[in-house]
Amino acid sequence: MADRVRVRGLSIFRPIIYGNTATLLTPEERAALDPSRHEHTHRWTVAVRSAASVPDSDVVGGADDLSYFIKRVNFKLHDTYNNPSRVVDKPPFEVTETGWGEFDILIRITYIADSGEKASSVYHHLKLHPWAGPGEPEIPSMDVALKAGPVHSWQYDEIVFNEPFNSFLHTLTAHPPTPLPKTKRRPVPFHIAYPDTLKDTRLAETPEFSQEMEKEEADRLEQAKKKVVAEQEQLRNTLIEKEKELQELQKLVGPNS
Amino acid sequence: MTATAADVRSILSIQAHFVPSAAAKKQSTSQAKKPEGISRELYSLIGPSAPSLAAQLQKPQLKQKPRLGSSAVRWEWRKFRNGARGDSLELGHWVKATADPDTEYPFSKYNVQTAHFIYSQDEYSKHLEVDPEWTKDETDYLFNLVREYDQRWHIISDRYDYPGGPHRVMEDLKERFCNVCRRLVRDRPWAGDEASRVQLISTFMFDKERELIRKRYLANLDNRTPREAEEEEALYLEVKRIEQNERKFKRDREELLRTLAGIDSGLPDIVEDELPTILFDSKKKKKGGLDADSPSTPVSAAPPKQRPQPSPRNPVYDALHCITHIDLPVTTPATKAAHQPSFLRTYKLPVPKAAVVPKISQTLAEINISYNRLVMPTEGNVARLNALIDATLPLVETKRVLDKVEYDIKVLKERLNVRSSAPVEEEAGGVVDAADGEAIEGTEEGRAQSVVSTRSTRSRKQRRSVSVSSVDTTGAGTSRPPPKRQRRN
């Protein structure tokens, strides 16, 4: 009975990533495909994983097994796929498919019954083509894509449980997540919110999330805020000057109008 | 006034005979101990009883000799500029010849400029229009004075003479100034961290009532006559004495009762209230501790069963398990309805109002920030993005107001131009007409043509109708140019 008590004033989160990795199929692979899929050009894997990566692996994230709090993950693929709603109820929570086009995948994460929480849903845009900088074609030619290697599109996120049940809190604390590496050891996973990392997508290594990325973003936001406040300050001064000018003009115009 | 051994001996002259022998005896044993710096004769006179004097004699503490060997430092009269001055006034001063002539004037750093707050009309009407006693013009006047006299309040209140305004004492001015500054700091976006903002706000705290009371009190103190002051002093001493007596009396009584009856006197405490209660508390605690030891009430053993966490707030443990603590208001009811379901951090990204989204996204895009996406949406970063958007909102708002004011200025300027050019034309009408004549003619020609053409089409259309209409159209044609010409002006 005591286990069904919520721990007040506490929230606990688990870092996860969701997204996909895509590789271009070689001509041989394409030939080996089912005739109904002869148009498919890519093999992709969409997944929900823990944020930290296994050292020296070519998989983004996935250092921890998330099944201690995730019961099931649904991936809702494009309707043109057979059986578009894929249910994965044991780790690894991922779906590998072939295809030719990008589309939005609805990912629905269901937690274990003990958590007493409802499922959470997120959309992920399946990314097949290499990230393009400004001026570059969105869908580059085969040669360019081949040279670019696997395409990674991952979003870091944190699942927050507010005032969890005592038993669930136990379960969670029994599985502390592997902390992200403090510094960047491998390329940064590209994110459209920060296009400066585009050059990292040109590197052959598998990207990895790190605490440094978080810190960098924090700095970026702080800098931006400083800039905004400075600009606001400057604008305010101009505004005050203009207001004075306006007042004088009004005085000039005022008596006659 | 300490008597040395020699003094004693001289006073007790009877025993003077024995002294040398005694001293000799002692000398034979302690001769080796005779400290340096005292002559043997003196030592034999004073004996070892005055070692402090000996020690003083031993090492005379003299000032160090000035080193005169090196040559004197040269001083020069040099021109300098004070970096803190706005003008380029050049003054001269004496400096050591060895000093670097390029160093900045060392006193310029003491010219500290206080930050001056200015506010726009928009800000004033939004945040500062709270005191009905103050108008914007008067507040402007106050702020100008404050700036002019660098927050020297006595001067400000002396010079303060707002035409048509009520009489204001220094505290009124200070209060208004502090209120406005505090509000501005509070409501404007803040670039630094929250602590520095709170600190700055606290510097603008001004309690007018308290300040008035303080000044009145000081004035009262100052206005006492010497006799009153003396009396007060005497009374104060008296009170202290009574208190002391009381304490002593109480202590004695306490002691007496304890020794005789073994109980506390039960007298009310005078000053040291805390001490007995602390004692009492500790006794209580001891009793409680005894109780806890007995197996009947295992109070201290119960909580760990319910909460097996190693410790409720351990930063290292929390960081490891990604735990954050929320300080709950004590009053929140522990109902199910209050429970907030689990969420992903990205759900909590700030959502600005739809009306300002385009402006915000554009403003932030200029500095390479996406307003609705984060690479690493951790709690801190979500909060930072939130703060950033909160800071951007007033920027967008200021831009809007600025655009409006600029537009108003343009309109007014245009009106002024129209008005200033109109009389000129009237006065020197002939010249202007001559100058403009061609242009007007040209345009009139064109217009005439067009009028003709429209007339012709119209006349074609209306040919079937009566000729009155054609007369009407020609009438309109002649009457049209003047108003157009007016509009041109």
Side-chain angles (χ1 to χ4, degrees), chain A residues 1 8 39 50 80 91-92 144 153 156 178 186 191 220 239 252:
Chain A
M1 200 51 218
R8 307 278 297 163
E39 281 184 324
S50 74
T80 49
V144 177
S153 170
Y156 173 91
T178 310
R186 288 195 253 161
H191 195 288
R220 218 153 56 225
L239 175 62
L252 276 176

Side-chain angles (χ1 to χ4, degrees), chain B residues 241-256:
Chain B
R241 204 172 52 77
I242 291 172
E243 268 178 16
Q244 216 166 344
N245 280 348
E246 196 83 359
R247 230 174 283 155
K248 192 168 164 240
F249 168 72
K250 189 180 157 255
R251 215 169 31 236
D252 288 352
R253 184 175 169 127
E254 199 90 9
E255 210 168 299
L256 203 64

Side-chain angles (χ1 to χ4, degrees), chain A residues 111-160:
Chain A
Y111 308 107
I112 55 168
D114 196 27
S115 70
E117 298 286 355
K118 284 182 194 151
S120 309
S121 300
V122 281
Y123 275 99
H124 170 69
H125 183 78
L126 179 69
K127 184 85 186 143
L128 298 184
H129 305 296
W131 295 101
E136 287 171 342
E138 211 160 299
I139 302 178
S141 66
M142 284 293 206
D143 309 340
V144 177
L146 256 179
K147 222 186 275 172
V151 175
H152 296 281
S153 170
W154 296 94
Q155 170 70 55
Y156 173 91
D157 214 328
E158 293 175 352
I159 302 178
V160 187

Side-chain angles (χ1 to χ4, degrees), chain B residues 241-450:
Chain B
R241 204 172 52 77
I242 291 172
E243 268 178 16
Q244 216 166 344
N245 280 348
E246 196 83 359
R247 230 174 283 155
K248 192 168 164 240
F249 168 72
K250 189 180 157 255
R251 215 169 31 236
D252 288 352
R253 184 175 169 127
E254 199 90 9
E255 210 168 299
L256 203 64
L257 272 172
R258 210 168 286 145
T259 45
L260 291 181
I263 51 160
D264 287 347
S265 67
L267 274 185
D269 300 313
I270 300 154
V271 180
E272 320 99 311
D273 287 39
E274 278 79 33
L275 198 68
T277 50
I278 287 168
L279 280 172
F280 193 56
D281 271 2
S282 68
K283 269 181 207 162
K284 251 191 182 171
K285 267 178 205 159
K286 266 184 196 166
K287 273 182 191 168
L290 280 171
D291 280 352
D293 284 346
S294 63
S296 57
T297 52
V299 186
S300 58
K305 260 185 199 166
Q306 279 177 348
R307 284 193 183 186
Q309 303 156 252
S311 80
R313 298 218 172 177
N314 174 352
V316 179
Y317 178 83
D318 287 353
L320 178 67
H321 293 281
C322 309
I323 292 174
T324 44
H325 294 279
I326 316 145
D327 283 319
L328 289 172
V330 188
T331 49
T332 30
T335 55
K336 259 193 176 174
H339 175 67
Q340 188 193 14
S342 69
F343 59 90
L344 294 186
R345 269 296 181 227
T346 38
Y347 290 5
K348 300 284 161 174
L349 287 181
V351 186
K353 278 184 200 147
V356 288
V357 161
K359 292 227 167 130
I360 285 195
S361 69
Q362 188 199 339
T363 311
L364 290 182
E366 279 168 24
I367 46 176
N368 284 330
I369 298 281
S370 159
Y371 81 99
N372 59 355
R373 284 174 217 273
L374 280 177
V375 180
M376 299 293 279
T378 57
E379 193 177 20
N381 282 355
V382 170
R384 278 185 197 100
L385 184 63
N386 231 329
L388 175 61
I389 288 190
D390 281 350
T392 318
L393 274 174
L395 177 67
V396 169
E397 179 65 18
T398 313
K399 259 187 193 160
R400 195 184 59 78
V401 177
L402 185 62
D403 284 349
K404 193 177 152 285
V405 169
E406 271 174 350
Y407 175 76
D408 285 354
I409 288 176
K410 231 166 94 183
V411 167
L412 278 179
K413 270 189 179 161
E414 216 119 286
R415 273 173 68 184
L416 272 180
N417 279 343
V418 167
R419 197 176 297 160
S420 60
S421 61
V424 169
E425 245 177 84
E426 273 167 31
E427 279 167 27
V431 186
V432 174
D433 268 356
D436 282 1
E438 268 179 292
I440 291 166
E441 250 173 52
T443 50
E444 264 178 353
E445 226 169 84
R447 214 177 286 141
Q449 274 176 359
S450 66

